[in-house]
Amino acid sequence: MNAHAELRRFTVEEYEKLGETGFFQPDERVELLDGEIVTMAPIGKWIVNLADACVEVYRQPQGDDYAEHFRRTPGQTLVSLAFPERAMPVAELLA
């Protein structure tokens, strides 16, 4: 066995064929990035809105809405609930 593992990159056509054949679970959110199939973040977590140059945050889902929704723009910071000790400058996320 080769001690060096090689990364297998997929083409768009191969990725689409996997989807057509039912390879992915119906609720599985994946995307193809640079030939790699990666799991996408859950819907409604953390949106980088490049068109409006801001980050939109949606928290505490309640039915079809969210109890908490806000925007942060360059010059402001964003604090993750998972890592409250690390404030991320919004400008870095938009770069």
Side-chain angles (χ1 to χ4, degrees):
M1 181 175 202
N2 187 345
H4 299 286
E6 291 187 29
L7 180 64
R8 164 73 159 87
R9 296 200 184 273
F10 292 89
T11 66
V12 172
E13 293 78 22
E14 291 170 325
Y15 172 76
E16 290 174 349
K17 189 68 168 177
L18 288 171
E20 291 169 6
T21 61
F23 180 80
F24 305 112
Q25 297 297 318
D27 61 345
E28 190 173 15
R29 295 180 37 81
V30 295
E31 63 184 330
L32 185 67
L33 295 176
D34 295 324
E36 294 182 39
I37 299 173
V38 297
T39 302
M40 295 172 54
I43 293 174
K45 294 295 184 187
W46 289 296
I47 297 173
V48 178
N49 182 338
L50 296 177
D52 294 332
C54 68
V55 174
E56 299 180 34
V57 177
Y58 297 83
R59 293 180 179 157
Q60 301 173 3
Q62 294 180 339
D64 292 338
D65 203 5
Y66 292 85
E68 186 177 4
H69 169 235
F70 57 90
R71 288 180 166 205
R72 294 291 182 261
T73 57
Q76 295 180 308
T77 59
L78 187 63
V79 178
S80 166
L81 294 177
F83 303 101
E85 69 282 352
R86 170 102 165 61
M88 172 67 74
V90 171
E92 284 184 25
L93 295 170
L94 297 172

